[in-house]
Amino acid sequence: MGRAFEYRKASKLKRWGAMSKLFPKLGKIITMAAKDGGGDPSMNARLRTAIINAKAENMPKDNIEAAIKRASSKDTASMLEVSFEAKAPHGVQFFIECMTDNNTRTVANVKNILTKHGAEMLIKGSLEFMFDRKAIFEFALKDTMDLEELELELIDAGLEEIEEEDGVVIISADYKSFGSINSALEDMGIEILKANLERMTTSPISLTQEQQVDIDKIIDKLEDDEDVQKVFTNIA
């Protein structure tokens, strides 16, 4: 099976189960998108995508609107997107993506979590070769759709792979093709369910159940931090 299916499988098993943690993280993305490109989704593709992803996680409309409004508040601090790379026990590698208004705090928090659990932060760029950055889109398969025809129409936009599972079409492309794929789907009148930039390991490893428990503890602690958006690993 292809890389898009691997993403779909991982997405189903993601640990962002608690709404109390998830909604504030989604809200940050919406606020940042609105602050950078304006609060009108029809004129701001990044905001449009952020709202689509928030709705996919059942984020209430009031929360979404509040996040957009925060972008125009003078009290709203500028947000930075930062990432960290780390080495954990059992040969596991972490790529940690964050969004923060205080980089010093975020660095200290992430480093503290890693150190307490036998992991260590690496020099930036150490793991770039171990992860492929991909644009992933999901949309519902309609009776009128033909996957082969869709593939041909999207190749020029940068499509690398297209698959269908349980009535959902998952397509992947290089991360640089995110905008062109997004525009092509919108031009075709396809309603996007989710659209994300993901990091997929190039050398997946397998863990024992006991080893997985150790790693899950670290991931849970990282994802509990308000600044951490996503944690990617090289686990198969």
Side-chain angles (χ1 to χ4, degrees):
M1 296 203 176
R3 301 292 297 283
F5 179 83
E6 291 174 14
Y7 157 79
R8 178 70 174 174
K9 181 180 178 182
S11 180
K12 284 183 176 180
L13 299 175
K14 67 183 180 180
R15 298 171 181 83
W16 273 10
M19 296 299 108
S20 60
K21 292 189 293 183
L22 176 58
F23 290 165
K25 294 173 187 281
L26 294 171
K28 275 188 178 182
I29 298 173
I30 293 171
T31 298
M32 185 173 180
K35 195 175 183 68
D36 291 345
D40 183 355
S42 66
M43 301 295 290
N44 183 342
R46 187 179 180 187
L47 175 59
R48 199 158 59 245
T49 300
I51 292 173
I52 287 171
N53 290 333
K55 287 181 176 179
E57 300 296 346
N58 297 313
M59 186 172 179
K61 182 179 178 181
D62 290 347
N63 294 46
I64 294 173
E65 292 177 350
I68 295 173
K69 287 180 180 178
R70 278 197 296 274
S72 60
S73 171
K74 294 181 180 179
D75 297 330
T76 300
S78 296
M79 304 294 292
L80 296 173
E81 290 179 295
V82 295
S83 62
F84 306 101
E85 295 152 65
K87 178 173 67 174
H90 314 307
V92 174
Q93 312 285 356
F94 287 152
F95 211 110
I96 307 160
E97 294 185 349
C98 304
M99 189 174 291
T100 179
D101 58 0
N102 186 329
N103 190 50
T104 301
R105 177 195 67 217
T106 305
V107 172
N109 288 351
V110 171
K111 189 172 184 179
N112 183 53
I113 292 169
L114 293 171
T115 302
K116 281 186 175 181
H117 293 83
E120 62 177 297
M121 198 176 290
L122 301 175
I123 297 172
K124 188 174 180 62
S126 299
L127 302 181
E128 284 289 348
F129 71 99
M130 295 189 66
F131 291 87
D132 285 335
R133 201 174 188 201
K134 296 294 182 180
I136 307 289
F137 293 82
E138 294 185 30
F139 55 89
L141 179 66
K142 305 292 186 183
D143 293 336
T144 55
M145 291 180 179
D146 182 285
L147 288 188
E148 291 187 2
E149 290 183 7
L150 281 174
E151 183 175 13
L152 291 174
E153 291 187 47
L154 292 169
I155 283 178
D156 288 342
L159 175 74
E160 291 182 350
E161 183 180 2
I162 182 167
E163 293 183 275
E164 181 270 332
E165 182 202 5
D166 298 333
V168 175
V169 179
I170 311 105
I171 63 175
S172 64
D174 184 80
Y175 77 99
K176 294 179 181 178
S177 298
F178 186 96
S180 57
I181 291 285
N182 190 70
S183 296
L185 291 174
E186 289 184 348
D187 290 345
M188 294 165 66
I190 293 176
E191 183 179 354
I192 301 168
L193 300 177
K194 288 185 181 180
N196 288 298
L197 291 174
E198 304 289 333
R199 295 184 188 271
M200 295 182 174
T201 178
T202 58
S203 302
I205 65 170
S206 298
L207 301 181
T208 65
Q209 187 172 354
E210 291 78 10
Q211 291 172 335
Q212 186 67 59
V213 170
D214 291 340
I215 299 304
D216 284 347
K217 289 178 182 178
I218 307 176
I219 295 175
D220 288 342
K221 287 295 182 183
L222 287 169
E223 291 183 341
D224 277 342
D225 188 276
E226 62 178 350
D227 296 333
V228 175
Q229 288 287 326
K230 292 184 179 180
V231 180
F232 300 101
T233 77
N234 61 331
I235 301 173

